């Protein structure tokens, strides 16, 4: 009986040890996956930001952003919207976000490329200053076009670019596949960083415009000064 008890005890101990090892192995695998995802996010974030250094125009920035993000996220379509005060925005009575650059996008007559605050996913994301993820998107919301045909994306994500509490741009990515948490985290972190870059470009353009106007005024006044 004592021998049987000892065997039972050893069997339970071995089973507990085996289960603990399995749990540890699972925990280590999860932790390794988390670290790999963090490295993936940090590495690609650094690469994306490096590709934007030294840019002087917003259209070029928008083009580089969508051209890099869409393949990186295994997506199929990308749109970059910029805040503007245009004739279209005046008609809609407020701030609008207009399409500045796109990746694999085919414009449709019945779909607007300009959204007011709160209008559509782009306008709502800009208004709330929050990322919106749409899974199982409506069939005709947007189309993915290629030489072999066209189809509807399953998942759409819109990320606002916020700088000093103001939405200055929005990025929309559509994919036939899943938009993972890793993808969402990269987009959220990246959008925060490019807000600073966009603001710097806008400031540089304003400064350049002021200098040009100042030079024009100086040239206009110079003949009059010479006459005096």
């Amino acid at each position: 009986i004592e021998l049987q008890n000892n065997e039972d005890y050893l069997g339970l101990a071995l089973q507990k040890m085996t289960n603990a090892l399995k749990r540890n192995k699972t925990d280590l695998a999860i932790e390794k996956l988390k670290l790999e995802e963090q490295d993936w996010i940090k590495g690609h974030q650094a690469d994306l930001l490096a590709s934007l250094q030294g840019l002087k125009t917003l259209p070029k920035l928008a083009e580089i952003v969508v051209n890099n993000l869409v393949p990186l996220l295994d997506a199929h379509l990308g749109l970059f919207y910029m805040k503007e005060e245009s004739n279209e925005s005046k008609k809609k009575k407020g701030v609008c976000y207009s399409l500045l650059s796109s990746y694999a996008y085919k414009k449709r007559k019945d779909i607007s490329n300009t959204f007011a605050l709160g209008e559509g996913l782009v306008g709502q994301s800009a208004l709330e200053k929050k990322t919106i993820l749409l899974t199982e998107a409506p069939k005709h919301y947007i189309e993915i076009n290629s030489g072999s045909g066209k189809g509807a994306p399953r998942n759409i994500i819109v990320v606002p670019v916020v700088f000093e509490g103001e939405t200055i741009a929005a990025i929309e990515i559509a994919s036939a596949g899943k938009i993972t948490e890793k993808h969402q985290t990269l987009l959220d972190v990246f959008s925060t960083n490019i807000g600073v870059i966009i603001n710097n470009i806008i400031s540089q353009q304003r400064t350049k415009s002021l200098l040009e106007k100042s030079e024009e005024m100086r040239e206009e006044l110079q003949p009059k000064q010479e006459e005096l």
Side-chain angles (χ1 to χ4, degrees):
I1 294 173
E2 185 177 350
L3 180 62
Q4 182 65 42
N5 289 338
N6 287 336
E7 288 178 351
D8 291 343
Y9 175 79
L10 287 172
L12 287 172
L14 285 170
Q15 186 62 47
K16 286 182 179 180
M17 186 170 66
T18 301
N19 291 338
L21 288 171
K22 287 181 179 179
R23 285 195 298 271
N24 288 338
K25 185 178 180 180
T26 301
D27 291 342
L28 287 172
I30 293 173
E31 189 63 29
K32 180 183 177 183
L33 181 61
K34 287 181 179 179
L35 291 173
E36 288 176 349
E37 288 185 350
Q38 290 175 6
D39 289 342
W40 184 89
I41 291 168
K42 290 178 181 178
H44 287 298
Q45 178 193 357
D47 291 341
L48 288 166
L49 292 174
S51 69
L52 302 178
Q53 296 303 311
L55 295 180
K56 299 183 182 301
T57 66
L58 294 174
K60 188 62 179 177
L61 176 140
E63 178 188 344
I64 291 175
V65 168
V66 292
N67 284 350
N68 281 297
L69 277 179
V70 174
L72 177 61
L73 303 181
D74 295 322
H76 302 87
L77 185 147
L79 304 164
F80 190 103
Y81 296 88
M82 193 71 205
K83 177 186 174 183
E84 67 169 19
E85 293 288 348
S86 64
N87 293 331
E88 186 69 20
S89 66
K90 290 175 183 176
K91 289 179 185 177
K92 295 188 177 183
K93 297 181 181 180
V95 173
C96 280
Y97 296 84
S98 295
L99 183 63
L100 187 60
S101 188
S102 64
Y103 179 102
Y105 174 66
K106 182 179 180 181
K107 186 178 179 348
R108 290 186 287 172
K109 292 180 180 180
D110 57 333
I111 302 295
S112 174
N113 285 328
T114 300
F115 298 92
L117 277 173
E119 182 181 20
L121 290 181
V122 172
Q124 192 62 35
S125 176
L127 177 63
E128 295 181 2
K129 301 179 179 66
K130 292 180 181 178
T131 295
I132 295 177
L133 175 63
L134 182 66
T135 57
E136 300 300 331
K139 188 175 180 181
H140 299 295
Y141 174 79
I142 200 169
E143 290 181 346
I144 296 173
N145 292 275
S146 71
S148 57
K150 61 183 179 180
R154 292 180 57 199
N155 299 292
I156 296 168
I157 188 168
V158 181
V159 184
V161 178
V162 181
F163 180 78
E164 294 185 348
E166 178 185 359
T167 304
I168 58 176
I171 302 169
E172 182 174 10
I173 301 291
S175 176
K178 184 179 180 181
I179 297 174
T180 66
E181 289 186 14
K182 178 175 69 173
H183 295 162
Q184 293 178 56
T185 301
L186 175 63
L187 285 169
D188 287 336
V189 174
F190 177 61
S191 66
T192 300
N193 287 309
I194 64 170
V196 177
I197 297 175
I198 290 173
N199 183 70
N200 288 339
I201 292 175
I202 293 173
S203 297
Q204 290 171 10
Q205 290 177 338
R206 286 174 180 168
T207 301
K208 182 181 178 182
S209 179
L210 288 172
L211 289 173
E212 288 175 350
K213 287 181 181 179
S214 177
E215 181 62 21
E216 288 175 4
M217 289 179 63
R218 189 187 69 79
E219 291 177 355
E220 289 175 1
L221 290 172
Q222 188 172 359
K224 295 180 181 180
Q225 289 176 343
E226 290 175 355
E227 288 177 8
L228 293 173

